[in-house]
Amino acid sequence: MPKVTIAQTILAVNEQVAQEIRQALMAYGIRALNIMSSPGAGKTTLLERTIERLRGRLAIGVIEGDVETSADAERIEAAGAQTVQINTRGNCHLEAHMIRDALGYVDLATTDLLVIENVGNLVCPAAWDLGEDRRVVVVSTTEGDDKPAKYPNMFAIAQIMVVNKLDLLPYVDYDVQKVRRHALAINPHLRIFEVSCRTGEGLEAWCDWLETFARGA
Amino acid sequence: MPKVTIAQTILAVNEQVAQEIRQALMAYGIRALNIMSSPGAGKTTLLERTIERLRGRLAIGVIEGDVETSADAERIEAAGAQTVQINTRGNCHLEAHMIRDALGYVDLATTDLLVIENVGNLVCPAAWDLGEDRRVVVVSTTEGDDKPAKYPNMFAIAQIMVVNKLDLLPYVDYDVQKVRRHALAINPHLRIFEVSCRTGEGLEAWCDWLETFARGA
């Protein structure tokens, strides 16, 4: 099957910028997450709830990636985190040079954890290193339990999977165990959290892990 | 904001192949839809329900686009339509040459309507003409009512929007009127259907329109 090939040179340049970012963040003792999902899986809501719960425990800086609008950045700012919005204007994923530019607007000296919310897309963002320490894929119980099988690369490159919208399980056909099984078959080292941002279920375990991770443990 | 540019020549070649496809389909009197959405919005389920309802009324051929797996094609085939699976192996959208290849496996002489189910992605597929007559974007009530605002290009290039999962409205924060308003602000000519594939609500209107459309009206 022929493909549109992204020139290797572009990815090599991206990798180099991602390394610069990693070194800059390390110099400030900041750890970074790259959060990815389908549109509407609940990345922004998960971040809102996380920031609220970790207020006073962890200084979180957020870089919001969206094709258009600054609505998500406004929500995150209202939740109490330092936020920078990137609008990709049609581009389907974030790239390292966008993060490098955005970091100029983050007060690194007072930040413990940097969270990058990628463009909603289960395919393209997986190919682009943003200088993060960990990649998180969020899935939700309303989008079908076939996502790991159908978009395996995203689950192969992630270290953490969050299953969101547990509260809607009674109303949908979704087998959480099947999702876990398929995801772990692709990536046996995947750490899995099951949460509901609406009821709060599972958020404490996620936030505890995040705090430990941000403290460098 | 810098972007990865898909060379104009690649899009020009795609356009040329799309024109060939359009002419081939026209010669057989076949009309074609390109259905796009986020992963998990319910494209495949909508197709299953549509094929079941239109059995005996319309001969539907389906080209299934997925990054991996043939699970969707198997579902569609079980619903009773002639089906061809394309696996893009990492590519985030279908391109016209893939459709041209797939058409070799479709019995055009006995087909009334060709439905192309694109890869689940609200960004990239919008840029690629597949030789279709109409583009359909499916959104669902569980993915947030901000999708037209956040992914405007998909709504600008579509002629039809289907709002799916109406049955879950009582359990989510989703304002259908806001979605309609935002989508129509981007594209005032958008034809909108509201459905639940689970309860069947709205499917008759959608199928009636589809039949009329396929008959060339």
CSV table of all heavy atoms in Angstrom, one decimal, chain B residues 144-195:
chain,number,residue,atom,x,y,z
B,144,GLY,N,-18.0,15.5,23.1
B,144,GLY,CA,-18.0,17.0,23.4
B,144,GLY,C,-18.6,17.8,22.2
B,144,GLY,O,-18.4,17.4,21.0
B,145,ASP,N,-19.2,18.9,22.6
B,145,ASP,CA,-20.0,19.7,21.6
B,145,ASP,C,-19.1,20.8,21.0
B,145,ASP,O,-19.6,21.7,20.3
B,145,ASP,CB,-21.3,20.2,22.1
B,145,ASP,CG,-21.1,21.0,23.5
B,145,ASP,OD1,-19.9,21.4,23.7
B,145,ASP,OD2,-22.0,21.1,24.2
B,146,ASP,N,-17.8,20.7,21.2
B,146,ASP,CA,-16.9,21.7,20.6
B,146,ASP,C,-16.2,21.2,19.3
B,146,ASP,O,-15.3,21.9,18.8
B,146,ASP,CB,-15.8,22.0,21.7
B,146,ASP,CG,-15.0,20.8,22.2
B,146,ASP,OD1,-15.4,19.7,21.8
B,146,ASP,OD2,-14.1,21.0,23.0
B,147,LYS,N,-16.6,20.1,18.8
B,147,LYS,CA,-15.8,19.6,17.6
B,147,LYS,C,-15.9,20.4,16.4
B,147,LYS,O,-14.9,20.6,15.7
B,147,LYS,CB,-16.2,18.1,17.3
B,147,LYS,CG,-15.9,17.1,18.4
B,147,LYS,CD,-14.4,17.1,18.7
B,147,LYS,CE,-14.0,16.6,20.1
B,147,LYS,NZ,-14.2,17.5,21.2
B,148,PRO,N,-17.1,21.0,16.0
B,148,PRO,CA,-17.0,21.9,14.8
B,148,PRO,C,-16.1,23.1,15.0
B,148,PRO,O,-15.3,23.4,14.1
B,148,PRO,CB,-18.5,22.3,14.7
B,148,PRO,CG,-19.3,21.2,15.3
B,148,PRO,CD,-18.4,20.7,16.4
B,149,ALA,N,-16.1,23.6,16.2
B,149,ALA,CA,-15.2,24.8,16.4
B,149,ALA,C,-13.7,24.4,16.4
B,149,ALA,O,-12.9,25.1,15.9
B,149,ALA,CB,-15.6,25.4,17.8
B,150,LYS,N,-13.4,23.2,16.9
B,150,LYS,CA,-12.0,22.8,17.0
B,150,LYS,C,-11.5,22.2,15.8
B,150,LYS,O,-10.2,22.1,15.6
B,150,LYS,CB,-11.9,21.8,18.2
B,150,LYS,CG,-12.1,22.6,19.6
B,150,LYS,CD,-11.9,21.7,20.7
B,150,LYS,CE,-10.4,21.3,20.9
B,150,LYS,NZ,-10.2,20.4,22.1
B,151,TYR,N,-12.3,21.6,14.9
B,151,TYR,CA,-11.9,21.0,13.7
B,151,TYR,C,-12.7,21.5,12.5
B,151,TYR,O,-13.3,20.8,11.8
B,151,TYR,CB,-12.0,19.4,13.8
B,151,TYR,CG,-11.2,18.8,15.0
B,151,TYR,CD1,-11.8,18.8,16.2
B,151,TYR,CD2,-9.9,18.4,14.8
B,151,TYR,CE1,-11.1,18.3,17.3
B,151,TYR,CE2,-9.2,17.9,15.9
B,151,TYR,CZ,-9.8,17.8,17.1
B,151,TYR,OH,-9.0,17.3,18.2
B,152,PRO,N,-12.6,22.8,12.3
B,152,PRO,CA,-13.5,23.5,11.4
B,152,PRO,C,-13.4,23.0,9.9
B,152,PRO,O,-14.4,22.9,9.2
B,152,PRO,CB,-13.2,25.0,11.5
B,152,PRO,CG,-11.8,25.0,12.0
B,152,PRO,CD,-11.7,23.8,12.9
B,153,ASN,N,-12.2,22.6,9.5
B,153,ASN,CA,-12.0,22.2,8.1
B,153,ASN,C,-12.9,21.0,7.7
B,153,ASN,O,-13.5,21.0,6.6
B,153,ASN,CB,-10.6,22.0,7.8
B,153,ASN,CG,-10.3,22.0,6.3
B,153,ASN,OD1,-10.9,22.8,5.6
B,153,ASN,ND2,-9.5,21.1,5.9
B,154,MET,N,-13.0,20.1,8.6
B,154,MET,CA,-13.8,18.9,8.3
B,154,MET,C,-15.3,19.3,8.1
B,154,MET,O,-15.9,18.7,7.2
B,154,MET,CB,-13.7,17.9,9.5
B,154,MET,CG,-14.4,16.6,9.3
B,154,MET,SD,-13.9,15.7,7.8
B,154,MET,CE,-12.4,14.8,8.4
B,155,PHE,N,-15.8,20.2,8.8
B,155,PHE,CA,-17.2,20.6,8.7
B,155,PHE,C,-17.3,21.6,7.5
B,155,PHE,O,-18.4,21.6,6.9
B,155,PHE,CB,-17.6,21.3,10.0
B,155,PHE,CG,-17.6,20.3,11.1
B,155,PHE,CD1,-16.4,20.0,11.8
B,155,PHE,CD2,-18.7,19.5,11.4
B,155,PHE,CE1,-16.4,19.1,12.8
B,155,PHE,CE2,-18.7,18.6,12.5
B,155,PHE,CZ,-17.5,18.3,13.2
B,156,ALA,N,-16.3,22.2,7.1
B,156,ALA,CA,-16.3,23.1,5.9
B,156,ALA,C,-16.4,22.3,4.6
B,156,ALA,O,-17.1,22.7,3.7
B,156,ALA,CB,-15.1,24.0,5.9
B,157,ILE,N,-15.7,21.2,4.6
B,157,ILE,CA,-15.7,20.4,3.3
B,157,ILE,C,-16.8,19.3,3.2
B,157,ILE,O,-17.0,18.7,2.2
B,157,ILE,CB,-14.3,19.7,3.1
B,157,ILE,CG1,-13.9,18.8,4.2
B,157,ILE,CG2,-13.2,20.8,3.0
B,157,ILE,CD1,-14.2,17.3,4.0
B,158,ALA,N,-17.5,19.1,4.3
B,158,ALA,CA,-18.6,18.1,4.3
B,158,ALA,C,-19.9,18.7,3.8
B,158,ALA,O,-20.1,20.0,3.8
B,158,ALA,CB,-18.9,17.6,5.7
B,159,GLN,N,-20.8,17.9,3.2
B,159,GLN,CA,-22.1,18.4,2.8
B,159,GLN,C,-23.1,17.9,3.8
B,159,GLN,O,-24.2,18.4,3.9
B,159,GLN,CB,-22.5,17.9,1.4
B,159,GLN,CG,-21.7,18.5,0.3
B,159,GLN,CD,-20.4,17.9,0.0
B,159,GLN,OE1,-20.2,16.7,0.3
B,159,GLN,NE2,-19.4,18.6,-0.5
B,160,ILE,N,-22.8,16.8,4.6
B,160,ILE,CA,-23.7,16.2,5.5
B,160,ILE,C,-23.1,16.0,6.8
B,160,ILE,O,-21.9,15.6,6.9
B,160,ILE,CB,-24.2,14.8,5.0
B,160,ILE,CG1,-25.0,15.0,3.6
B,160,ILE,CG2,-25.1,14.1,6.0
B,160,ILE,CD1,-24.3,14.5,2.4
B,161,MET,N,-23.8,16.3,7.9
B,161,MET,CA,-23.3,16.0,9.3
B,161,MET,C,-24.3,15.1,9.9
B,161,MET,O,-25.5,15.3,9.9
B,161,MET,CB,-23.2,17.2,10.1
B,161,MET,CG,-22.8,17.0,11.6
B,161,MET,SD,-22.3,18.4,12.5
B,161,MET,CE,-23.9,19.1,12.9
B,162,VAL,N,-23.9,13.9,10.5
B,162,VAL,CA,-24.7,13.1,11.2
B,162,VAL,C,-24.3,13.2,12.7
B,162,VAL,O,-23.1,13.0,13.0
B,162,VAL,CB,-24.6,11.6,10.8
B,162,VAL,CG1,-25.5,10.7,11.6
B,162,VAL,CG2,-25.0,11.5,9.3
B,163,VAL,N,-25.2,13.5,13.6
B,163,VAL,CA,-25.0,13.5,15.0
B,163,VAL,C,-25.5,12.2,15.6
B,163,VAL,O,-26.7,11.9,15.5
B,163,VAL,CB,-25.7,14.7,15.7
B,163,VAL,CG1,-25.4,14.7,17.2
B,163,VAL,CG2,-25.4,16.0,15.1
B,164,ASN,N,-24.6,11.4,16.0
B,164,ASN,CA,-24.9,10.0,16.5
B,164,ASN,C,-24.9,9.9,18.0
B,164,ASN,O,-24.5,10.8,18.7
B,164,ASN,CB,-23.8,9.0,15.9
B,164,ASN,CG,-24.2,7.6,16.1
B,164,ASN,OD1,-25.3,7.2,16.3
B,164,ASN,ND2,-23.2,6.7,16.0
B,165,LYS,N,-25.4,8.7,18.5
B,165,LYS,CA,-25.5,8.4,19.9
B,165,LYS,C,-26.4,9.4,20.7
B,165,LYS,O,-26.2,9.7,21.8
B,165,LYS,CB,-24.1,8.4,20.6
B,165,LYS,CG,-23.1,7.6,19.8
B,165,LYS,CD,-21.8,7.3,20.6
B,165,LYS,CE,-20.8,6.6,19.7
B,165,LYS,NZ,-19.5,6.4,20.4
B,166,LEU,N,-27.6,9.7,20.1
B,166,LEU,CA,-28.6,10.5,20.7
B,166,LEU,C,-29.1,9.9,22.0
B,166,LEU,O,-29.4,10.6,23.0
B,166,LEU,CB,-29.8,10.7,19.8
B,166,LEU,CG,-29.8,11.7,18.7
B,166,LEU,CD1,-31.2,11.8,18.1
B,166,LEU,CD2,-29.2,13.0,19.1
B,167,ASP,N,-29.0,8.5,22.1
B,167,ASP,CA,-29.5,7.8,23.3
B,167,ASP,C,-28.7,8.1,24.5
B,167,ASP,O,-29.1,7.9,25.6
B,167,ASP,CB,-29.5,6.3,23.0
B,167,ASP,CG,-28.1,5.8,22.5
B,167,ASP,OD1,-27.7,6.1,21.4
B,167,ASP,OD2,-27.4,5.1,23.3
B,168,LEU,N,-27.4,8.6,24.3
B,168,LEU,CA,-26.6,8.9,25.5
B,168,LEU,C,-26.7,10.3,26.0
B,168,LEU,O,-26.1,10.7,27.0
B,168,LEU,CB,-25.1,8.5,25.1
B,168,LEU,CG,-24.8,7.0,24.9
B,168,LEU,CD1,-23.4,6.8,24.5
B,168,LEU,CD2,-25.1,6.2,26.2
B,169,LEU,N,-27.5,11.1,25.3
B,169,LEU,CA,-27.7,12.5,25.7
B,169,LEU,C,-28.0,12.7,27.2
B,169,LEU,O,-27.5,13.7,27.8
B,169,LEU,CB,-28.8,13.2,24.9
B,169,LEU,CG,-28.3,13.8,23.6
B,169,LEU,CD1,-29.5,14.4,22.8
B,169,LEU,CD2,-27.2,14.9,23.8
B,170,PRO,N,-28.8,11.8,27.8
B,170,PRO,CA,-29.1,12.1,29.3
B,170,PRO,C,-27.9,12.0,30.2
B,170,PRO,O,-28.0,12.4,31.3
B,170,PRO,CB,-30.2,11.0,29.6
B,170,PRO,CG,-30.7,10.5,28.3
B,170,PRO,CD,-29.6,10.7,27.3
B,171,TYR,N,-26.9,11.3,29.7
B,171,TYR,CA,-25.7,11.0,30.6
B,171,TYR,C,-24.5,11.8,30.3
B,171,TYR,O,-23.5,11.6,31.0
B,171,TYR,CB,-25.4,9.5,30.4
B,171,TYR,CG,-26.6,8.6,30.4
B,171,TYR,CD1,-27.0,7.9,29.3
B,171,TYR,CD2,-27.4,8.5,31.6
B,171,TYR,CE1,-28.1,7.1,29.3
B,171,TYR,CE2,-28.5,7.7,31.6
B,171,TYR,CZ,-28.9,7.0,30.5
B,171,TYR,OH,-30.0,6.2,30.5
B,172,VAL,N,-24.6,12.8,29.4
B,172,VAL,CA,-23.4,13.6,29.0
B,172,VAL,C,-23.8,15.0,28.9
B,172,VAL,O,-24.9,15.4,28.8
B,172,VAL,CB,-22.8,13.1,27.6
B,172,VAL,CG1,-22.3,11.7,27.7
B,172,VAL,CG2,-23.8,13.2,26.5
B,173,ASP,N,-22.8,15.9,29.0
B,173,ASP,CA,-23.0,17.3,28.8
B,173,ASP,C,-22.7,17.6,27.3
B,173,ASP,O,-21.6,17.7,26.8
B,173,ASP,CB,-22.0,18.2,29.6
B,173,ASP,CG,-22.1,17.9,31.1
B,173,ASP,OD1,-23.3,17.9,31.5
B,173,ASP,OD2,-21.1,17.8,31.8
B,174,TYR,N,-23.8,17.7,26.5
B,174,TYR,CA,-23.7,17.9,25.1
B,174,TYR,C,-24.9,18.6,24.6
B,174,TYR,O,-26.0,18.3,24.8
B,174,TYR,CB,-23.6,16.5,24.4
B,174,TYR,CG,-23.2,16.6,22.9
B,174,TYR,CD1,-21.9,16.5,22.6
B,174,TYR,CD2,-24.2,16.6,21.9
B,174,TYR,CE1,-21.5,16.5,21.2
B,174,TYR,CE2,-23.8,16.7,20.6
B,174,TYR,CZ,-22.5,16.6,20.2
B,174,TYR,OH,-22.1,16.6,18.9
B,175,ASP,N,-24.6,19.8,24.0
B,175,ASP,CA,-25.7,20.6,23.5
B,175,ASP,C,-25.8,20.5,22.0
B,175,ASP,O,-25.0,21.1,21.2
B,175,ASP,CB,-25.3,22.1,23.9
B,175,ASP,CG,-26.3,23.1,23.5
B,175,ASP,OD1,-27.2,22.8,22.7
B,175,ASP,OD2,-26.3,24.2,24.0
B,176,VAL,N,-26.8,19.7,21.5
B,176,VAL,CA,-26.9,19.5,20.1
B,176,VAL,C,-27.2,20.8,19.3
B,176,VAL,O,-26.6,20.9,18.2
B,176,VAL,CB,-28.1,18.5,19.8
B,176,VAL,CG1,-28.3,18.3,18.3
B,176,VAL,CG2,-27.9,17.1,20.5
B,177,GLN,N,-27.9,21.7,19.9
B,177,GLN,CA,-28.2,22.9,19.3
B,177,GLN,C,-26.9,23.7,19.0
B,177,GLN,O,-26.7,24.4,18.0
B,177,GLN,CB,-29.2,23.8,20.0
B,177,GLN,CG,-30.6,23.2,20.1
B,177,GLN,CD,-31.1,22.7,18.7
B,177,GLN,OE1,-30.9,23.4,17.7
B,177,GLN,NE2,-31.6,21.5,18.6
B,178,LYS,N,-26.0,23.7,20.0
B,178,LYS,CA,-24.7,24.4,19.9
B,178,LYS,C,-23.9,23.8,18.7
B,178,LYS,O,-23.3,24.5,17.9
B,178,LYS,CB,-23.9,24.3,21.2
B,178,LYS,CG,-22.6,24.9,21.2
B,178,LYS,CD,-21.9,24.8,22.6
B,178,LYS,CE,-20.4,24.9,22.5
B,178,LYS,NZ,-19.8,24.5,23.8
B,179,VAL,N,-23.9,22.5,18.7
B,179,VAL,CA,-23.2,21.8,17.6
B,179,VAL,C,-23.7,22.2,16.2
B,179,VAL,O,-23.0,22.5,15.3
B,179,VAL,CB,-23.2,20.3,17.8
B,179,VAL,CG1,-22.6,19.5,16.6
B,179,VAL,CG2,-22.4,19.9,19.0
B,180,ARG,N,-25.1,22.2,16.1
B,180,ARG,CA,-25.7,22.6,14.9
B,180,ARG,C,-25.3,24.0,14.5
B,180,ARG,O,-25.0,24.3,13.4
B,180,ARG,CB,-27.3,22.5,15.0
B,180,ARG,CG,-27.8,21.1,15.2
B,180,ARG,CD,-29.4,21.2,15.3
B,180,ARG,NE,-29.9,21.6,14.0
B,180,ARG,CZ,-30.5,20.7,13.2
B,180,ARG,NH1,-30.6,19.4,13.5
B,180,ARG,NH2,-31.0,21.0,12.0
B,181,ARG,N,-25.4,24.9,15.5
B,181,ARG,CA,-25.1,26.3,15.3
B,181,ARG,C,-23.7,26.5,14.8
B,181,ARG,O,-23.4,27.2,13.8
B,181,ARG,CB,-25.4,27.1,16.6
B,181,ARG,CG,-25.8,28.5,16.5
B,181,ARG,CD,-26.4,29.0,17.8
B,181,ARG,NE,-25.5,28.8,18.9
B,181,ARG,CZ,-25.8,28.1,20.0
B,181,ARG,NH1,-26.9,27.5,20.1
B,181,ARG,NH2,-24.9,28.0,21.0
B,182,HIS,N,-22.7,25.9,15.5
B,182,HIS,CA,-21.3,26.0,15.2
B,182,HIS,C,-21.0,25.5,13.8
B,182,HIS,O,-20.3,26.0,13.0
B,182,HIS,CB,-20.4,25.4,16.2
B,182,HIS,CG,-20.3,26.1,17.5
B,182,HIS,ND1,-19.4,25.8,18.5
B,182,HIS,CD2,-20.9,27.3,17.9
B,182,HIS,CE1,-19.5,26.7,19.5
B,182,HIS,NE2,-20.4,27.6,19.2
B,183,ALA,N,-21.6,24.3,13.5
B,183,ALA,CA,-21.4,23.6,12.2
B,183,ALA,C,-22.0,24.5,11.1
B,183,ALA,O,-21.3,24.7,10.0
B,183,ALA,CB,-22.0,22.2,12.2
B,184,LEU,N,-23.2,25.0,11.3
B,184,LEU,CA,-23.8,25.8,10.3
B,184,LEU,C,-23.1,27.2,10.1
B,184,LEU,O,-23.2,27.7,9.0
B,184,LEU,CB,-25.3,26.0,10.6
B,184,LEU,CG,-26.1,24.7,10.4
B,184,LEU,CD1,-27.5,24.9,11.0
B,184,LEU,CD2,-26.2,24.3,8.9
B,185,ALA,N,-22.5,27.7,11.1
B,185,ALA,CA,-21.7,28.9,11.0
B,185,ALA,C,-20.5,28.7,10.0
B,185,ALA,O,-20.2,29.6,9.3
B,185,ALA,CB,-21.3,29.4,12.3
B,186,ILE,N,-20.0,27.5,10.1
B,186,ILE,CA,-18.8,27.2,9.3
B,186,ILE,C,-19.3,26.9,7.9
B,186,ILE,O,-18.7,27.2,6.9
B,186,ILE,CB,-18.1,26.0,9.8
B,186,ILE,CG1,-17.4,26.3,11.2
B,186,ILE,CG2,-17.0,25.4,8.9
B,186,ILE,CD1,-17.0,25.1,12.0
B,187,ASN,N,-20.5,26.2,7.8
B,187,ASN,CA,-21.0,25.7,6.5
B,187,ASN,C,-22.5,25.7,6.5
B,187,ASN,O,-23.2,24.8,6.9
B,187,ASN,CB,-20.5,24.2,6.4
B,187,ASN,CG,-20.8,23.6,5.1
B,187,ASN,OD1,-21.7,24.1,4.3
B,187,ASN,ND2,-20.3,22.5,4.8
B,188,PRO,N,-23.0,26.9,6.0
B,188,PRO,CA,-24.5,27.1,6.1
B,188,PRO,C,-25.3,26.1,5.3
B,188,PRO,O,-26.5,25.9,5.5
B,188,PRO,CB,-24.7,28.5,5.5
B,188,PRO,CG,-23.3,29.1,5.5
B,188,PRO,CD,-22.3,28.0,5.4
B,189,HIS,N,-24.6,25.3,4.3
B,189,HIS,CA,-25.4,24.4,3.5
B,189,HIS,C,-25.4,23.0,4.0
B,189,HIS,O,-25.9,22.1,3.4
B,189,HIS,CB,-24.8,24.4,2.1
B,189,HIS,CG,-24.8,25.8,1.5
B,189,HIS,ND1,-26.0,26.4,1.2
B,189,HIS,CD2,-23.8,26.6,1.1
B,189,HIS,CE1,-25.7,27.6,0.7
B,189,HIS,NE2,-24.4,27.8,0.6
B,190,LEU,N,-24.8,22.8,5.2
B,190,LEU,CA,-24.7,21.4,5.8
B,190,LEU,C,-26.1,20.9,6.0
B,190,LEU,O,-26.9,21.5,6.6
B,190,LEU,CB,-23.9,21.6,7.1
B,190,LEU,CG,-23.1,20.4,7.6
B,190,LEU,CD1,-22.1,19.9,6.6
B,190,LEU,CD2,-22.4,20.8,8.9
B,191,ARG,N,-26.3,19.6,5.5
B,191,ARG,CA,-27.6,18.9,5.8
B,191,ARG,C,-27.3,18.1,7.1
B,191,ARG,O,-26.3,17.4,7.2
B,191,ARG,CB,-27.9,18.0,4.7
B,191,ARG,CG,-29.2,17.2,4.8
B,191,ARG,CD,-29.4,16.2,3.7
B,191,ARG,NE,-29.6,16.9,2.4
B,191,ARG,CZ,-30.9,17.1,1.9
B,191,ARG,NH1,-31.9,16.7,2.6
B,191,ARG,NH2,-31.0,17.7,0.7
B,192,ILE,N,-28.2,18.2,8.1
B,192,ILE,CA,-27.9,17.6,9.4
B,192,ILE,C,-28.9,16.5,9.7
B,192,ILE,O,-30.1,16.7,9.6
B,192,ILE,CB,-27.9,18.6,10.5
B,192,ILE,CG1,-26.8,19.7,10.2
B,192,ILE,CG2,-27.6,18.0,11.8
B,192,ILE,CD1,-26.8,20.9,11.1
B,193,PHE,N,-28.4,15.3,10.1
B,193,PHE,CA,-29.3,14.2,10.6
B,193,PHE,C,-28.9,13.9,12.1
B,193,PHE,O,-27.7,14.0,12.4
B,193,PHE,CB,-29.1,13.0,9.8
B,193,PHE,CG,-29.5,13.1,8.4
B,193,PHE,CD1,-28.6,13.5,7.4
B,193,PHE,CD2,-30.9,12.9,8.0
B,193,PHE,CE1,-29.0,13.6,6.0
B,193,PHE,CE2,-31.3,13.1,6.7
B,193,PHE,CZ,-30.4,13.4,5.7
B,194,GLU,N,-29.9,13.7,12.9
B,194,GLU,CA,-29.6,13.3,14.3
B,194,GLU,C,-30.1,11.9,14.5
B,194,GLU,O,-31.3,11.6,14.3
B,194,GLU,CB,-30.3,14.3,15.2
B,194,GLU,CG,-29.8,15.7,15.1
B,194,GLU,CD,-30.6,16.7,16.0
B,194,GLU,OE1,-31.3,16.3,16.9
B,194,GLU,OE2,-30.4,17.9,15.7
B,195,VAL,N,-29.2,11.0,14.9
B,195,VAL,CA,-29.6,9.6,15.0
B,195,VAL,C,-29.1,8.9,16.3
B,195,VAL,O,-28.2,9.4,17.0
B,195,VAL,CB,-29.1,8.8,13.8
B,195,VAL,CG1,-29.4,9.5,12.5
B,195,VAL,CG2,-27.6,8.6,13.9
